[in-house]
Amino acid sequence: LDRLLAASEGETISPQTQRRIVSQVGHFLDWAVYEGQVKENPFKTVRVEAKAKVNHYAALTDPEVARLVQLQDQKIGVLLLFCLLSGMRAGEAAGLVWQDLVWKGNLGWFCHVRPNEVRTLKTDAAERVVPLHSSLSPLIAQLPQSGRLFPGLSVNTVTKRFATLRAHAGISRAGVVFHSSRKWFVTQCERAGVPEHWTASIVGHQSARSENRMTYGIYSAGISDEQKREIVEKVGLPGHYVCHP
Protein backbone atom coordinates (compact mmCIF):
# COMPACT_ATOMS: atom_id res chain seq x y z
CA LEU A 1 0.00 0.00 0.00
CA ASP A 2 2.86 2.36 0.80
CA ARG A 3 4.37 1.73 -2.63
CA LEU A 4 1.03 2.38 -4.35
CA LEU A 5 0.64 5.67 -2.49
CA ALA A 6 4.21 6.70 -3.26
CA ALA A 7 3.64 6.06 -6.96
CA SER A 8 0.65 8.41 -7.01
CA GLU A 9 1.74 11.88 -8.05
CA GLY A 10 0.18 14.96 -6.44
CA GLU A 11 -1.81 15.41 -3.25
CA THR A 12 -4.70 13.17 -4.30
CA ILE A 13 -4.84 9.51 -5.24
CA SER A 14 -6.04 8.75 -8.76
CA PRO A 15 -9.11 6.54 -9.25
CA GLN A 16 -6.86 3.88 -10.80
CA THR A 17 -4.68 3.81 -7.67
CA GLN A 18 -7.76 3.79 -5.44
CA ARG A 19 -9.05 0.73 -7.26
CA ARG A 20 -5.71 -1.04 -6.94
CA ILE A 21 -5.63 -0.37 -3.20
CA VAL A 22 -9.20 -1.57 -2.69
CA SER A 23 -8.52 -4.63 -4.83
CA GLN A 24 -5.35 -5.62 -2.94
CA VAL A 25 -6.92 -5.11 0.48
CA GLY A 26 -9.96 -7.05 -0.70
CA HIS A 27 -7.83 -9.98 -1.89
CA PHE A 28 -5.99 -10.04 1.44
CA LEU A 29 -9.25 -10.08 3.41
CA ASP A 30 -10.68 -12.81 1.16
CA TRP A 31 -7.62 -14.87 2.07
CA ALA A 32 -8.19 -14.07 5.76
CA VAL A 33 -11.78 -15.32 5.45
CA TYR A 34 -10.59 -18.49 3.70
CA GLU A 35 -8.06 -19.11 6.50
CA GLY A 36 -10.73 -18.59 9.15
CA GLN A 37 -9.13 -15.46 10.61
CA VAL A 38 -12.25 -13.34 10.06
CA LYS A 39 -15.87 -14.25 9.41
CA GLU A 40 -16.48 -12.01 6.44
CA ASN A 41 -14.72 -9.49 4.22
CA PRO A 42 -15.80 -5.99 5.32
CA PHE A 43 -14.33 -4.55 2.10
CA LYS A 44 -17.00 -6.23 -0.02
CA THR A 45 -19.13 -3.07 0.16
CA VAL A 46 -16.31 -0.62 -0.62
CA ARG A 47 -16.69 1.04 -4.00
CA VAL A 48 -14.57 3.59 -5.85
CA GLU A 49 -17.01 6.16 -7.17
CA ALA A 50 -14.49 8.39 -8.96
CA LYS A 51 -14.29 7.88 -12.71
CA ALA A 52 -10.93 6.95 -14.17
CA LYS A 53 -9.49 9.57 -16.46
CA VAL A 54 -8.16 8.24 -19.74
CA ASN A 55 -4.66 9.52 -20.45
CA HIS A 56 -4.05 10.53 -24.04
CA TYR A 57 -0.33 10.36 -24.75
CA ALA A 58 1.23 12.15 -27.68
CA ALA A 59 3.86 10.53 -29.85
CA LEU A 60 7.23 12.25 -29.84
CA THR A 61 8.19 13.99 -33.07
CA ASP A 62 11.55 13.36 -34.72
CA PRO A 63 12.92 16.81 -33.74
CA GLU A 64 11.86 16.21 -30.13
CA VAL A 65 13.57 12.82 -30.08
CA ALA A 66 16.72 14.40 -31.51
CA ARG A 67 16.77 17.07 -28.80
CA LEU A 68 16.18 14.54 -26.03
CA VAL A 69 18.90 12.10 -27.05
CA GLN A 70 21.40 14.90 -27.67
CA LEU A 71 21.14 15.75 -23.96
CA GLN A 72 22.86 12.39 -23.23
CA ASP A 73 21.40 12.37 -19.74
CA GLN A 74 23.55 10.47 -17.26
CA LYS A 75 20.57 9.14 -15.29
CA ILE A 76 18.10 7.79 -17.85
CA GLY A 77 19.75 8.53 -21.22
CA VAL A 78 20.67 4.93 -22.00
CA LEU A 79 17.32 3.58 -20.79
CA LEU A 80 15.58 6.15 -22.99
CA LEU A 81 17.55 4.90 -26.01
CA PHE A 82 16.54 1.32 -25.21
CA CYS A 83 12.87 2.31 -25.16
CA LEU A 84 13.01 4.51 -28.25
CA LEU A 85 14.59 1.72 -30.30
CA SER A 86 12.55 -1.22 -28.98
CA GLY A 87 9.16 0.17 -27.93
CA MET A 88 9.61 -1.10 -24.36
CA ARG A 89 7.64 0.45 -21.53
CA ALA A 90 9.56 2.32 -18.82
CA GLY A 91 8.89 -0.42 -16.26
CA GLU A 92 9.95 -3.16 -18.67
CA ALA A 93 13.28 -1.50 -19.37
CA ALA A 94 13.94 -0.43 -15.77
CA GLY A 95 13.30 -3.99 -14.60
CA LEU A 96 15.73 -5.69 -16.99
CA VAL A 97 18.41 -7.93 -15.52
CA TRP A 98 21.51 -9.26 -17.28
CA GLN A 99 19.93 -12.71 -17.64
CA ASP A 100 17.21 -11.14 -19.80
CA LEU A 101 19.74 -10.43 -22.56
CA VAL A 102 20.23 -13.16 -25.16
CA TRP A 103 22.99 -13.26 -27.79
CA LYS A 104 21.82 -14.90 -31.03
CA GLY A 105 24.99 -14.88 -33.11
CA ASN A 106 24.51 -13.24 -36.50
CA LEU A 107 21.16 -11.86 -35.34
CA GLY A 108 22.75 -9.93 -32.51
CA TRP A 109 21.40 -9.10 -29.06
CA PHE A 110 17.82 -9.86 -28.05
CA CYS A 111 16.00 -9.01 -24.86
CA HIS A 112 13.59 -11.41 -23.16
CA VAL A 113 10.93 -9.22 -21.60
CA ARG A 114 9.47 -11.46 -18.89
CA PRO A 115 8.58 -11.45 -15.20
CA ASN A 116 11.68 -11.58 -13.02
CA GLU A 117 12.78 -10.83 -9.47
CA VAL A 118 12.53 -7.10 -10.14
CA ARG A 119 9.09 -6.69 -11.72
CA THR A 120 6.00 -8.34 -13.15
CA LEU A 121 4.42 -7.55 -16.53
CA LYS A 122 1.32 -5.59 -17.43
CA THR A 123 -0.33 -8.36 -19.48
CA ASP A 124 0.37 -11.86 -20.79
CA ALA A 125 0.97 -10.35 -24.23
CA ALA A 126 3.74 -8.21 -22.71
CA GLU A 127 6.05 -11.23 -22.41
CA ARG A 128 8.09 -11.36 -25.58
CA VAL A 129 11.57 -11.54 -27.10
CA VAL A 130 12.66 -8.25 -28.63
CA PRO A 131 15.75 -7.64 -30.78
CA LEU A 132 17.89 -4.79 -29.50
CA HIS A 133 18.77 -2.32 -32.22
CA SER A 134 22.31 -2.80 -33.51
CA SER A 135 23.21 0.76 -32.52
CA LEU A 136 22.70 -0.23 -28.87
CA SER A 137 25.46 -2.86 -28.97
CA PRO A 138 28.25 -0.45 -27.88
CA LEU A 139 26.17 0.49 -24.82
CA ILE A 140 25.44 -3.07 -23.72
CA ALA A 141 29.10 -3.70 -22.91
CA GLN A 142 29.02 -0.75 -20.52
CA LEU A 143 26.03 -2.05 -18.53
CA PRO A 144 26.40 -4.15 -15.34
CA GLN A 145 27.26 -7.74 -16.27
CA SER A 146 25.11 -9.16 -13.48
CA GLY A 147 21.95 -8.13 -11.68
CA ARG A 148 19.92 -5.17 -12.90
CA LEU A 149 20.93 -3.41 -16.09
CA PHE A 150 19.67 -0.08 -14.72
CA PRO A 151 20.14 -0.26 -10.95
CA GLY A 152 18.38 2.39 -8.94
CA LEU A 153 15.85 3.23 -11.65
CA SER A 154 12.12 2.73 -11.20
CA VAL A 155 9.12 3.89 -13.22
CA ASN A 156 8.69 6.75 -10.78
CA THR A 157 12.28 7.97 -11.07
CA VAL A 158 12.29 7.55 -14.85
CA THR A 159 9.07 9.51 -15.41
CA LYS A 160 10.12 12.32 -13.07
CA ARG A 161 13.54 12.61 -14.68
CA PHE A 162 11.94 12.63 -18.13
CA ALA A 163 9.84 15.62 -17.07
CA THR A 164 13.10 17.44 -16.32
CA LEU A 165 14.62 16.43 -19.66
CA ARG A 166 11.47 17.52 -21.47
CA ALA A 167 11.85 20.99 -19.97
CA HIS A 168 15.57 21.14 -20.86
CA ALA A 169 14.71 20.13 -24.43
CA GLY A 170 12.08 22.85 -24.68
CA ILE A 171 9.21 20.41 -25.17
CA SER A 172 5.96 21.80 -23.81
CA ARG A 173 3.32 19.98 -25.88
CA ALA A 174 0.46 18.49 -23.89
CA GLY A 175 0.54 14.71 -23.63
CA VAL A 176 4.31 14.30 -24.02
CA VAL A 177 5.44 11.89 -21.31
CA PHE A 178 7.98 9.07 -21.19
CA HIS A 179 5.38 6.72 -22.71
CA SER A 180 5.56 8.96 -25.80
CA SER A 181 8.84 7.21 -26.65
CA ARG A 182 6.87 3.98 -27.13
CA LYS A 183 4.36 5.76 -29.35
CA TRP A 184 7.23 7.17 -31.40
CA PHE A 185 8.59 3.66 -32.00
CA VAL A 186 5.17 2.37 -33.09
CA THR A 187 4.78 5.38 -35.38
CA GLN A 188 8.15 4.69 -37.02
CA CYS A 189 7.14 1.09 -37.65
CA GLU A 190 3.86 2.20 -39.21
CA ARG A 191 5.62 4.69 -41.46
CA ALA A 192 8.04 1.96 -42.55
CA GLY A 193 5.10 -0.17 -43.68
CA VAL A 194 5.39 -2.82 -40.97
CA PRO A 195 2.10 -4.79 -40.60
CA GLU A 196 0.31 -3.89 -37.38
CA HIS A 197 0.27 -7.41 -35.96
CA TRP A 198 4.04 -7.62 -36.49
CA THR A 199 4.59 -4.37 -34.61
CA ALA A 200 2.24 -5.62 -31.90
CA SER A 201 4.43 -8.69 -31.36
CA ILE A 202 7.45 -6.42 -30.84
CA VAL A 203 5.85 -4.00 -28.38
CA GLY A 204 3.71 -6.56 -26.54
CA HIS A 205 0.25 -5.56 -27.73
CA GLN A 206 -2.61 -7.47 -29.24
CA SER A 207 -3.36 -6.30 -32.76
CA ALA A 208 -6.29 -3.94 -32.27
CA ARG A 209 -7.33 -3.93 -35.93
CA SER A 210 -7.35 -7.68 -36.41
CA GLU A 211 -10.99 -8.77 -36.57
CA ASN A 212 -10.04 -12.31 -35.62
CA ARG A 213 -7.06 -11.66 -33.36
CA MET A 214 -7.88 -14.53 -30.97
CA THR A 215 -7.93 -17.09 -33.77
CA TYR A 216 -4.77 -15.57 -35.26
CA GLY A 217 -3.01 -15.89 -31.91
CA ILE A 218 -4.01 -19.53 -31.59
CA TYR A 219 -2.89 -20.63 -35.05
CA SER A 220 0.17 -18.45 -35.67
CA ALA A 221 3.55 -19.33 -34.19
CA GLY A 222 4.53 -15.69 -34.54
CA ILE A 223 7.10 -13.96 -36.68
CA SER A 224 10.69 -15.21 -36.82
CA ASP A 225 13.70 -13.67 -35.12
CA GLU A 226 14.96 -12.61 -38.54
CA GLN A 227 11.71 -10.73 -39.20
CA LYS A 228 11.83 -9.11 -35.78
CA ARG A 229 15.40 -7.96 -36.43
CA GLU A 230 14.40 -6.49 -39.77
CA ILE A 231 11.55 -4.54 -38.17
CA VAL A 232 13.65 -3.04 -35.39
CA GLU A 233 16.44 -2.04 -37.76
CA LYS A 234 13.91 -0.02 -39.79
CA VAL A 235 13.74 2.38 -36.85
CA GLY A 236 16.61 4.82 -36.62
CA LEU A 237 17.25 7.80 -34.39
CA PRO A 238 16.73 11.11 -36.23
CA GLY A 239 19.68 13.26 -37.13
CA HIS A 240 22.01 10.29 -37.66
CA TYR A 241 22.65 10.15 -33.92
CA VAL A 242 25.22 7.52 -32.93
CA CYS A 243 25.04 5.74 -29.56
CA HIS A 244 28.36 6.16 -27.76
CA PRO A 245 29.29 4.20 -24.61
Side-chain angles (χ1 to χ4, degrees):
L1 290 175
D2 287 341
R3 288 196 297 271
L4 285 171
L5 288 171
S8 181
E9 298 180 2
E11 297 180 354
T12 59
I13 303 173
S14 70
Q16 294 95 323
T17 302
Q18 292 179 42
R19 287 190 175 86
R20 287 197 294 270
I21 292 173
V22 170
S23 174
Q24 292 199 15
V25 172
H27 285 312
F28 166 72
L29 291 173
D30 283 339
W31 170 84
V33 171
Y34 179 81
E35 293 292 322
Q37 302 296 323
V38 294
K39 291 184 178 180
E40 60 182 17
N41 181 353
F43 250 55
K44 287 290 187 184
T45 58
V46 176
R47 297 289 183 272
V48 177
E49 301 297 335
K51 300 296 184 183
K53 183 180 179 180
V54 178
N55 293 319
H56 295 285
Y57 304 121
L60 286 166
T61 64
D62 285 357
E64 288 170 344
V65 169
R67 295 204 295 273
L68 286 167
V69 298
Q70 288 294 341
L71 291 174
Q72 298 187 44
D73 184 65
Q74 294 299 307
K75 292 185 178 179
I76 67 167
V78 176
L79 183 143
L80 176 60
L81 291 173
F82 266 64
C83 293
L84 283 168
L85 294 172
S86 69
M88 278 190 280
R89 301 174 177 91
E92 292 172 344
L96 290 174
V97 296
W98 179 255
Q99 290 79 5
D100 292 331
L101 297 184
V102 181
W103 174 253
K104 296 199 175 188
N106 293 335
L107 293 177
W109 284 103
F110 281 66
C111 176
H112 193 175
V113 180
R114 56 187 172 182
N116 57 29
E117 64 269 26
V118 178
R119 51 99 170 97
T120 57
L121 293 179
K122 186 176 181 181
T123 64
D124 290 340
E127 182 166 351
R128 61 203 186 277
V129 177
V130 182
L132 294 178
H133 197 282
S134 57
S135 64
L136 294 174
S137 295
L139 301 177
I140 293 175
Q142 305 300 315
L143 296 174
Q145 303 296 295
S146 64
R148 297 183 62 176
L149 296 185
F150 303 104
L153 291 184
S154 65
V155 174
N156 195 38
T157 55
V158 169
T159 54
K160 287 183 177 179
R161 183 61 182 173
F162 182 83
T164 301
L165 296 184
R166 185 181 59 199
H168 288 332
I171 302 171
S172 58
R173 284 194 304 123
V176 175
V177 294
F178 189 89
H179 198 76
S180 300
S181 63
R182 180 171 164 87
K183 295 200 72 171
W184 178 82
F185 177 86
V186 173
T187 301
Q188 299 308 303
C189 290
E190 186 173 26
R191 290 175 178 173
V194 178
E196 182 185 297
H197 59 278
W198 287 17
T199 302
S201 70
I202 296 291
V203 300
H205 271 169
Q206 285 185 327
S207 180
R209 296 178 190 169
S210 173
E211 295 180 358
N212 201 18
R213 63 189 179 195
M214 183 173 291
T215 301
Y216 182 89
I218 291 173
Y219 288 101
S220 173
I223 60 177
S224 67
D225 288 341
E226 289 83 357
Q227 289 171 311
K228 290 179 181 179
R229 168 61 60 196
E230 183 179 352
I231 291 170
V232 168
E233 294 300 327
K234 288 179 182 292
V235 179
L237 293 173
H240 304 289
Y241 179 85
V242 179
C243 299
H244 295 289

